[in-house]
Amino acid sequence: MTSPNLFQQPTPADTAAVDTAIVTRRSMRAFLPTEVPESQIEEILNVASRAPSGTNTQPWQVHVLTGAARQRLVDRIQAAYLDPAELAKHTEEYAYYPTEWVSPYIDRRRKVGWDLYGLLNIAKTDKARMQAQHARNFQFFDAPVGLIFTIDRVMQQGSWLDYGMFLENVMIAARGRGLHTCPQAAFTQFHRLIAEELQLAPSQMVVCGMALGHADPAAVENSLLTERAAVAEFTRFYRD
């Protein structure tokens, strides 16, 4: 990769390409079996590694699963998720969501859930189909590439902010190559199984998973377009 001119003004085409990659990034929940070359995964991660981090600590560690390695992890977690007694043994290692929900967050959470289930014709009372849909998380939604992200336990909240920027870079770099992703916090519940399967050092903590591949354009769930608040709702300008 050649070094870009950092001080050259982007062309309108450059701006449009970046904006398109950002606004077309969605969490896809159905993928085609089309393989993604390892060289392309390396390209994505190389670009993503330019994410900023405090004092250049670069706290991210990435575990790429394809083929049989991916399937072994999928099988182990699926078996645990579908067995009530085994599922009860697995809990998240960190709190992703608040312990007490308030508006507008709970309203947004409920809406996206029911919007998705509505597309899939899953009724609010159909617990079995809800469970089956949630289980698809642990198949990486059939994506041929599963990514597991870990961080060293010594790192603190600032490094988790840095990590989020790295994850976004992964997703945007993937879009720039015609690929789609789905970031998946659901995997954190099974951090012990992941640690065993990937032989993680005790110092490593699972941050999340991510599906990577070619989205299935025929899958109705991939038509979900989540709403975003207007800029005026979350921004204040101070002029004087």
Side-chain angles (χ1 to χ4, degrees):
M1 179 184 297
T2 58
S3 297
N5 183 340
L6 302 181
F7 306 104
Q8 179 178 322
Q9 287 298 306
T11 67
D14 293 333
T15 301
V18 174
D19 288 354
T20 297
I22 293 172
V23 300
T24 62
R25 184 223 59 81
R26 300 185 195 175
S27 294
M28 294 295 171
R29 295 176 175 85
F31 288 83
L32 299 172
T34 310
E35 292 187 4
V36 179
E38 192 168 297
S39 59
Q40 193 169 50
I41 301 171
E42 290 181 354
E43 284 179 9
I44 290 169
L45 296 175
N46 185 50
V47 170
S49 72
R50 296 307 308 176
S53 60
T55 61
N56 199 33
T57 48
Q58 305 173 61
W60 37 82
Q61 298 289 331
V62 186
H63 311 267
V64 181
L65 293 94
T66 59
R70 173 197 167 283
Q71 195 60 47
R72 281 195 302 271
L73 182 65
V74 165
D75 290 345
R76 287 195 68 180
I77 296 180
Q78 282 276 302
Y81 178 72
L82 296 173
D83 180 340
E86 182 64 23
L87 178 61
K89 301 176 184 177
H90 297 276
T91 57
E92 293 84 355
E93 200 171 11
Y94 70 91
Y96 185 92
Y97 292 111
T99 54
E100 182 178 347
W101 286 94
V102 297
S103 291
Y105 315 112
I106 185 60
D107 310 303
R108 294 169 180 167
R109 174 182 171 87
R110 286 172 176 162
K111 185 177 188 316
V112 73
W114 295 127
D115 284 352
L116 175 62
Y117 289 149
L119 287 171
L120 295 168
N121 292 316
I122 299 176
K124 293 183 179 182
T125 56
D126 196 340
K127 302 301 183 183
R129 288 191 65 198
M130 287 183 186
Q131 183 190 39
Q133 176 60 29
H134 188 69
R136 286 186 47 72
N137 270 286
F138 309 120
Q139 300 169 21
F140 292 102
F141 296 110
D142 297 327
V145 182
L147 305 174
I148 297 292
F149 300 92
T150 62
I151 190 171
D152 196 296
R153 294 177 186 279
V154 302
M155 308 308 280
Q156 296 296 318
Q157 190 170 5
S159 292
W160 284 71
L161 295 175
D162 299 339
Y163 217 123
M165 291 184 275
F166 171 73
L167 293 172
E168 176 72 1
N169 271 7
V170 171
M171 293 183 278
I172 298 306
R175 283 301 301 126
R177 289 159 176 78
L179 301 171
H180 273 287
T181 54
C182 185
Q184 299 169 272
F187 277 101
T188 61
Q189 181 176 6
F190 297 99
H191 61 91
R192 289 191 292 106
L193 291 183
I194 293 170
E196 290 174 9
E197 189 64 34
L198 304 186
Q199 299 182 18
L200 300 180
S203 61
Q204 291 295 298
M205 183 176 186
V206 174
V207 174
C208 67
M210 184 183 292
L212 170 68
H214 295 269
D216 182 353
V220 67
E221 56 265 51
N222 286 343
S223 67
L224 177 66
L225 178 60
T226 55
E227 295 179 357
R228 290 295 188 270
V231 172
E233 291 185 47
F234 61 81
T235 308
R236 294 177 65 185
F237 289 92
Y238 300 82
R239 301 182 182 86
D240 298 311

